[in-house]
Every structure is written in C-alpha cells, then in structure tokens.
C-alpha cells in the first residue's frame, strides 16, 4: 500500500490529540512561537507487534505504538527518541501505524502521535582496535532515510534486527555515514563503565570522533553537569539526560526540558546547537548517587567502596582486586581540571527522583494522581503540594514535593545496583 504522507500544521500541530506544549511566549508573525516540551531521547523497543525480540532485556510491552501511547497519554512527554528504529521489523510497525492513520509524519522529521513526536534513532556499538566498546545514538530525519541507513549497517553488522549491535567499521566512517544522511550523532551514557565512551573506551572523545560533528552528549544515570565539568573537552556541547528505558515505567526517569517551535528532529538539532532561541532549558535527572554505576564496587564481596578508599587497587573490606570503577572515580582519574567548570550557557541540572522510587506511592495512589492531574509531568511540575495532598494525603504529598526538589535522603549506587531512597524507620513497619 502506498503511503500517503500527511503533513501536520506548524507550531501547535495536533495529530489526533492535544499538543503537549506547556507554555509559550508569542512572537512576531515572522517568527514561530517557542514553547516548552519535555523530551526523553533514549527509549528501547522490547518486542515488535509480531512478537520479535529487539532489545532482549527490554519489556515485551515496549512496542513502537506502546511507547507512543505511554509518552503522550501517561507521561506527558512531547518529544521521544526510540533508538531501535533501525530494526527492519520495527520499521514495519512504523509503516503499519502510518498506513492505518494512527500516526503521521512530522514536517521537520519524526512521527506524530497525539501531540507527541517520535524521532527515529539507533543505538550502535563501536569498538576501535585496542579499545573497549562504547555506544552512540544516531537519529535520522525520516523513515526512508533510517531504512537506507539500516541497509548500510546491515552490511557491517551481524544482526541489524537487534538493539545496540556492534558495527564493524571505524568510528569516523560511521560518523560520516550518519552526517552524510542528514542525521545527528550523540555519544550515549558517556561515563558509565559499561560501554560508555569516557567510562571505558577513551579518555578524550577527539581520539574517536570529529568533535565538529557531535550534536550533543548524553550524561547517563550516574553523572551530572558539574561532574562532567572536570573535562574541558565537553565545554562546547549541550548535555542531555535521558532514561535509557527498558520498560514503559522507566520512560522519563531522566528527561530534558527544551524550548522548541514544535517537536521534530529539525527543532531538536537547533536546540542542541543553541540556535534561533531554541535550546535545552533544564536537565532533569537522578541524583548521581542513585545511579547504578556511581561509585566503585567490589565484585568479590559486593561492597560499594567508600570515597576515602576509592583510589585503592584493592577492596578495603575483603582485599579483592576485582573492582568496577565508578563514574565519579573514573571522571576524577581522567580530569584535566582541579575543579569543575560549568559554562554560563549550561542549563540547570535539577535533581529529581522518579515517582516510582517514592516509598508509599503504589499503583492505586498513582492512578488517583493521574486521574486528578492527567500526566506524570503535570504531577511533577504543575500540581502544588496542597493539591497533591487533597488526592493522596499530606504525608505522601510531602514526599513527592521532596522527590521533585531532590531533597529525599539517598544511599549510593554502584556495581550495577541502583541507589535507594532511604526509608524512615516509621515507614518500614
């Protein structure tokens, strides 16, 4: 069936539902009005509608249409990046959504569903000789271009149908192929010891890529803007905080606030380049202490190493040498500054604990909040504490307020285990 390409309107477009923009300052008729959108650019596909596995560790309900519904209807996210869109079976799902009229193509790049735009991406593993592997994200302007890119990758990859597969070409060649197709390249979770660029592959990004063709960098769950400020090479780049979701519930556990004319790849590119008024206006992320690779971890006894001993080659508790270096400790070991520098253009990094982490906020109370306020973004950003208390009580409303201001007490994560929100003794009974 030949695809009829429907073009939505410009800023404020609607594809079967309400736009997800929150606010916007009106400008002259010659300039588009800019609005704020919440954006999560790293979400995996678990299965296709045909039941084919894409991300083996991903949830079965992480389908293309399932992610679109979750982002638009429950989360309140205006721009979502699905980074397994290179898989031919996922592309068949996308075509089906377009053919059936459930979704439309976005002018400027992307797929529209109920006011949310999906940008089509791929997570790719690279490994240069003599180095460990690391992951990058590539986003393409439209489905046809992604299909062509997928066909090229298929000639250099063992199984292009799966997520996060290794490509057997030099990193510079991959970069050329992405930019030659009008795409953008973003190194993923750059500090994690598990396939992060700085975490295990190199001490300087310029050793792998042409920095002029890096659109931005994704910090990952165990780092924040200040920690990245120890490395001067990162000063020019826009930082992103994304969820790397492997289940629907994890979508939006980290996300960005952006100022855009409308959600699309073209607008995302302008935001990353900080041009024409577009930009990332806030990063919302976990306190790095909650990240599962924040501190050095002993594989022998399972201990997270105290800061005072993190530079040791042996575990101070059992003497084992099998240590997994944490993100903070890795950054300090490769830093080219004594103190972190945060450039003036850098937006605020706001520590925020996901709603699902909050003790006492179960499914029933979460549903009450959603009935009252519509989306999780509204719960986190729009509802006042008194309004929350009217729905779920003062004690839980106080915890939600503390979670979104980053003031709940935490225990540190490490070695692949997330940190936790400390539960007061009266809540443990």
């Amino acid at each position: 069936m030949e695809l009829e390409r429907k073009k939505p309107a410009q800023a404020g477009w609607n594809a079967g539902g309400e736009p997800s923009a929150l606010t916007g300052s009106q400008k002259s008729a010659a300039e588009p009005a800019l609005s704020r959108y919440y954006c999560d650019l790293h979400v995996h596909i678990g299965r296709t509608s045909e039941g084919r596995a894409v991300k083996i560790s991903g949830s079965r309900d992480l389908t293309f249409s399932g992610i679109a519904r979750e982002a638009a209807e429950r989360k309140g996210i205006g721009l979502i990046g699905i980074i397994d869109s290179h898989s031919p079976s996922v592309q068949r799902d996308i075509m089906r959504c377009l053919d059936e009229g459930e979704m439309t193509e976005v002018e400027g790049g992307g797929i529209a569903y109920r006011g949310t735009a999906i940008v089509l991406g791929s997570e790719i593993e690279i490994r240069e000789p003599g180095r460990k592997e690391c992951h990058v994200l590539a986003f393409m302007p439209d489905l046809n271009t992604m299909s062509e890119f997928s066909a090229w990758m298929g000639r250099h990859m063992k199984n292009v149908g799966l997520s996060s597969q290794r490509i057997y070409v030099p990193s510079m060649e991959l970069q050329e192929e992405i930019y030659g197709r009008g795409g953008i390249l973003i190194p993923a979770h750059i500090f994690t010891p598990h396939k992060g660029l700085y975490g295990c592959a190199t001490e300087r990004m310029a050793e792998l890529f042409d920095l002029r063709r890096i659109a931005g960098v994704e910090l990952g769950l165990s780092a924040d803007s200040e920690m990245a400020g120890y490395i001067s090479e990162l000063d020019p780049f826009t930082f992103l905080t994304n969820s790397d979701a492997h289940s629907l519930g994890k979508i939006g556990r980290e996300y960005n606030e952006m100022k855009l004319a409308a959600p699309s790849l073209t607008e995302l590119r302008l935001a990353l380049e900080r041009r024409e008024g577009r930009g990332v206006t806030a990063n919302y992320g976990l306190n790095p202490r909650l990240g599962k690779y924040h501190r050095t971890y002993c594989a022998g006894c399972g201990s997270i190493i105290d800061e005072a001993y993190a530079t040791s080659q042996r575990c101070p508790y059992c003497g084992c040498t099998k240590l997994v270096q944490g993100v903070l400790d890795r950054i300090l070991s490769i830093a080219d500054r004594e103190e972190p520098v945060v450039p003036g253009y850098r937006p605020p990094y706001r520590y925020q604990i996901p709603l699902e982490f909050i003790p006492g906020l179960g499914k029933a109370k979460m549903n009450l909040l959603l009935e009252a306020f519509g989306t999780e973004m509204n719960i986190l950003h729009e509802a006042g504490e008194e309004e929350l208390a009217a729905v779920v009580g003062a004690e839980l409303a106080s915890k939600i307020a503390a979670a979104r201001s980053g003031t709940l007490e935490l225990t540190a994560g490490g070695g692949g285990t997330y940190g936790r929100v400390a539960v007061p003794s009266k809540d443990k009974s």
Side-chain angles (χ1 to χ4, degrees):
M1 178 178 179
E2 185 177 350
L3 175 64
E4 179 185 359
R5 300 186 183 280
K6 300 177 182 179
K7 299 291 186 181
Q10 295 295 320
W13 55 264
N14 186 313
E18 295 302 316
S20 55
L22 302 175
T23 63
S25 56
Q26 297 299 317
K27 295 189 176 184
S28 68
E31 300 179 18
L34 300 182
S35 301
R36 288 186 297 155
Y37 295 85
Y38 297 120
C39 310
D40 180 358
L41 300 172
H42 192 148
V43 178
H44 283 281
I45 296 281
R47 297 289 188 277
T48 67
S49 62
E50 302 167 345
R52 291 178 179 271
V54 180
K55 184 70 173 179
I56 302 298
S57 59
S59 170
R60 296 184 66 88
D61 55 8
L62 272 174
T63 62
F64 190 85
S65 58
I67 293 167
R69 287 192 296 270
E70 181 78 6
E73 299 170 13
R74 181 184 176 96
K75 299 293 182 177
I77 292 174
L79 186 66
I80 194 89
I82 296 183
I83 51 81
D84 293 319
S85 300
H86 65 277
S87 171
S89 57
V90 172
Q91 291 171 18
R92 289 195 291 273
D93 278 351
I94 299 171
M95 287 295 298
R96 189 177 300 112
C97 291
L98 292 169
D99 287 342
E100 294 175 355
E102 180 184 7
M103 302 183 191
T104 58
E105 291 196 297
V106 174
E107 184 172 354
I111 306 293
Y113 174 79
R114 295 182 61 83
T116 289
I118 303 157
V119 287
L120 305 180
S122 175
E123 184 172 38
I124 307 161
E125 182 172 298
I126 62 172
R127 184 172 185 176
E128 290 290 294
R131 300 179 185 273
K132 292 186 177 180
E133 62 273 13
C134 64
H135 287 178
V136 298
L137 307 178
F139 293 96
M140 292 294 157
D142 52 50
L143 182 56
N144 287 339
T145 308
M146 178 58 81
S147 180
E148 293 169 359
F149 181 59
S150 179
W152 173 80
M153 286 201 298
R155 298 194 294 271
H156 306 281
M157 189 177 280
K158 290 183 179 179
N159 190 342
V160 76
L162 294 179
S163 173
S164 311
Q165 296 297 288
R166 183 176 302 175
I167 192 163
Y168 294 91
V169 299
S171 55
M172 290 286 193
E173 183 179 340
L174 173 63
Q175 189 175 34
E176 181 65 31
E177 290 289 338
I178 293 168
Y179 273 78
R181 290 177 166 82
I184 61 176
L185 174 64
I186 298 170
H189 44 75
I190 58 173
F191 292 117
T192 61
H194 182 63
K195 302 183 181 180
L197 184 144
Y198 290 108
C200 65
T202 184
E203 294 187 3
R204 294 295 174 261
M205 186 161 51
E207 296 176 357
L208 297 179
F209 292 110
D210 178 352
L211 298 186
R212 297 168 298 179
R213 289 184 165 185
I214 297 293
V217 296
E218 180 187 80
L219 294 177
L221 300 181
S222 297
D224 59 18
S225 297
E226 184 174 2
M227 290 167 64
Y230 280 101
I231 300 175
S232 61
E233 182 181 57
L234 290 172
D235 287 354
F237 298 107
T238 295
F239 290 165
L240 292 168
T241 42
N242 299 317
S243 68
D244 195 356
H246 288 49
S247 65
L248 289 178
K250 293 293 190 294
I251 294 173
R253 66 177 162 185
E254 291 202 346
Y255 57 94
N256 312 275
E257 179 187 283
M258 295 190 189
K259 187 181 289 185
L260 310 169
S264 72
L265 185 70
T266 296
E267 289 289 315
L268 172 61
R269 190 193 306 270
L270 290 172
L272 294 175
E273 294 173 354
R274 305 186 293 278
R275 291 173 49 206
E276 300 178 28
R278 281 75 163 176
V280 176
T281 51
N283 297 118
Y284 287 90
L286 296 168
N287 185 308
R289 287 176 61 82
L290 280 174
K292 61 182 180 179
Y293 299 110
H294 181 58
R295 295 317 312 249
T296 296
Y297 167 85
C298 175
C301 68
S303 298
I304 293 174
I305 310 302
D306 184 81
E307 294 183 22
Y309 303 100
T311 57
S312 172
Q313 299 301 308
R314 291 182 175 273
C315 174
Y317 308 113
C318 73
C320 179
T321 59
K322 296 180 180 179
L323 303 182
V324 179
Q325 191 175 37
V327 167
L328 176 59
D329 308 306
R330 170 65 173 173
I331 290 174
L332 294 177
S333 74
I334 66 173
D336 61 351
R337 289 171 169 154
E338 293 294 325
E339 298 292 334
V341 172
V342 180
Y345 74 82
R346 189 82 68 207
Y349 189 106
R350 303 192 188 282
Y351 294 151
Q352 186 169 271
I353 296 168
L355 293 170
E356 67 170 354
F357 280 41
I358 300 174
L361 182 54
K363 184 176 180 179
K365 290 184 178 178
M366 187 67 206
N367 286 338
L368 289 175
L369 289 170
L370 289 170
E371 289 175 10
F373 304 109
T375 67
E376 290 188 17
M377 291 298 114
N378 285 342
I379 296 168
L380 288 166
H381 295 280
E382 304 299 320
E385 187 172 345
E386 290 185 3
E387 294 175 293
L388 295 169
V391 177
V392 294
E395 183 176 351
L396 191 51
S398 176
K399 290 180 182 177
I400 295 171
R404 62 190 186 185
S405 64
T407 56
L408 282 179
E409 185 180 349
L410 310 174
T411 60
T417 300
Y418 288 107
R420 296 172 181 259
V421 176
V423 181
S425 56
K426 67 177 181 179
D427 291 342
K428 295 179 181 178
S429 58

